[in-house]
Amino acid sequence: GFLPFQGHIVRNWKVRWFVLLQDKLLYYKIEGGKKEPSPKGRILLDGCTITCPCLEYENRPLLIKLKTKTNTDYFLECCSREERDSWALDITGAIHAGHPVQVQELHRMKNSFKLLDNISLHHIVERMCDSSTGIKLTRNLEQGNRYKETFTGSALVDWLISNSFAVSRFEAVTLASMLMEENFVKPVGARSTEAMRYSNLSEQFLDDSTALYMFAESNKKNISSKEELQFNISELSGTIVKQGFLVKQGHKRKNWKVRRFVLRADPAFLHYYDPTKEENRPVGGFSLRGCLVSALEDNGVPAGVKGNVQGNLFKIITKNDIHYYIQASSKAERAQWIEAIKPLT
């Protein structure tokens, strides 16, 4: 599948098509809407160590880090916690093929943390930031360090329950972990940071009056002006129905680029992001109301499509008659996206 990753020579971010084999990860470049026949590079898994979750980049909270036995670091980014854990599970299985106990432990960690239904994290954060009813920010001391505008883990759990976002402390801890995983909230100080680095997925957020947290810087930027806040409320506050990497044809240059698509309901919007950029803001998007979505046949290139495309195409026509041409990685994935989009039109 598609994954953004950081080059180990030129330290920029790019998107490649990754294929996991028994002893290596191959990655391919997409050119003109089609995967090149020869791999662009490979990551040898023999002697590799894997770090997941990896917290080395604040604006990229869903990273996997691979360190080869020659001490070369590779950072791979996923579009959701579930996708990250699935990749980490499969890569760990390839690295430790002869150690099934380690693979079973990763299975247990993956299955212990489930996404709650009908939860809009953007809405929760907006409520948390409310000057009158939001969570109270205070200065805190920990081991001689002074932190401004923080809150404790137990205070966030209490706030989530009192505002009816959770009915139990277990649910509230799960929800707080989601806020942290999606980079709305970050740990500060030794106690909470240690738990994030070394605990299992289900134990990374601490319901504790000595564990300190604060809003992430990227979230502060997103809610810094009234205009941006209104944009979040109007388009980005819906429940995420589906997300993933797809290849999209540009409107003007007609070139093909990999984008991270996020499908939301209530309100129904489809947004797409540039996964090579640091800021987590859409580069485009549109309302799905009144749209038409359909699969395109793979025998030949349809009118309006440029380049020698891979196939698995589908088209979305907005009510303003704007045509979007999008490629999925397989017929099954294309069918899943169409099935998810249709009820929202």
Side-chain angles (χ1 to χ4, degrees), residues 42-97:
R42 63 179 182 171
I43 303 172
L44 298 178
L45 297 178
D46 179 39
C48 238
T49 58
I50 181 170
T51 303
C52 178
C54 172
L55 306 176
E56 295 191 23
Y57 291 88
E58 181 184 330
N59 290 334
R60 295 180 183 271
L62 297 173
L63 288 179
I64 297 169
K65 179 182 178 181
L66 295 175
K67 181 184 282 290
T68 68
K69 65 180 180 181
T70 58
N71 288 324
T72 302
D73 292 340
Y74 293 89
F75 295 91
L76 313 178
E77 185 179 29
C78 300
C79 65
S80 68
R81 184 174 49 254
E82 292 77 17
E83 184 191 48
R84 182 199 63 187
D85 293 346
S86 179
W87 270 103
L89 175 71
D90 292 337
I91 293 171
T92 302
I95 294 173
H96 302 296

Side-chain angles (χ1 to χ4, degrees), residues 67-269:
K67 181 184 282 290
T68 68
K69 65 180 180 181
T70 58
N71 288 324
T72 302
D73 292 340
Y74 293 89
F75 295 91
L76 313 178
E77 185 179 29
C78 300
C79 65
S80 68
R81 184 174 49 254
E82 292 77 17
E83 184 191 48
R84 182 199 63 187
D85 293 346
S86 179
W87 270 103
L89 175 71
D90 292 337
I91 293 171
T92 302
I95 294 173
H96 302 296
H99 302 83
V101 174
Q102 294 181 8
V103 179
Q104 288 173 6
E105 173 65 10
L106 195 63
H107 265 297
R108 189 193 67 76
M109 289 167 62
K110 176 186 175 184
N111 294 329
S112 67
F113 196 88
K114 297 296 184 184
L115 192 68
L116 301 179
D117 293 332
N118 302 318
I119 290 290
S120 167
L121 298 184
H122 284 281
H123 174 61
I124 293 174
V125 173
E126 286 160 9
R127 288 278 300 277
M128 287 175 67
C129 295
D130 188 280
S131 57
S132 57
T133 60
I135 192 164
K136 302 305 178 188
L137 302 177
T138 59
R139 294 187 178 192
N140 281 285
L141 287 170
E142 185 190 72
Q143 296 179 349
N145 295 315
R146 184 183 297 276
Y147 299 101
K148 296 180 180 180
E149 297 187 327
T150 63
F151 46 86
T152 66
S154 56
L156 178 53
V157 169
D158 292 341
W159 186 89
L160 290 169
I161 293 173
S162 65
N163 284 271
S164 302
F165 289 114
V167 297
S168 67
R169 299 197 80 80
F170 174 78
E171 279 191 14
V173 167
T174 303
L175 190 51
S177 299
M178 290 166 55
L179 290 169
M180 195 164 61
E181 286 286 324
E182 300 299 331
N183 206 34
F184 290 106
V185 169
K186 70 175 183 179
V188 290
R191 181 150 169 70
S192 56
T193 303
E194 237 177 70
M196 183 68 174
R197 288 188 182 279
Y198 301 116
S199 298
N200 292 341
L201 290 179
S202 58
E203 300 168 351
Q204 286 174 1
F205 182 88
L206 298 177
D207 179 7
D208 192 305
S209 61
T210 64
L212 302 182
Y213 300 88
M214 66 188 302
F215 291 114
E217 288 300 319
S218 58
N219 180 58
K220 288 180 182 177
K221 293 173 188 173
N222 285 342
I223 60 172
S224 61
S225 72
K226 186 176 181 181
E227 182 181 351
E228 288 183 348
L229 183 60
Q230 290 300 318
F231 177 73
N232 284 338
I233 291 174
S234 63
E235 294 190 17
L236 301 177
S237 63
T239 303
I240 294 179
V241 176
K242 186 174 178 60
Q243 58 183 318
F245 296 109
L246 298 167
V247 189
K248 172 185 168 295
Q249 181 178 264
H251 289 331
K252 297 178 180 178
R253 295 180 59 192
K254 305 298 182 184
N255 56 343
W256 292 89
K257 291 184 178 179
V258 179
R259 294 289 182 252
R260 176 171 67 91
F261 279 80
V262 178
L263 176 64
R264 293 180 173 91
D266 300 322
F269 273 84

Side-chain angles (χ1 to χ4, degrees), residues 242 246 293-296 312-314 327-343:
K242 186 174 178 60
L246 298 167
V293 57
S294 61
L296 298 175
N312 307 312
L313 281 164
F314 63 99
Q327 288 187 71
S329 61
S330 66
K331 283 185 169 60
E333 185 185 43
R334 176 176 68 180
Q336 290 166 8
W337 273 100
I338 292 174
E339 186 179 341
I341 291 170
K342 273 188 175 177

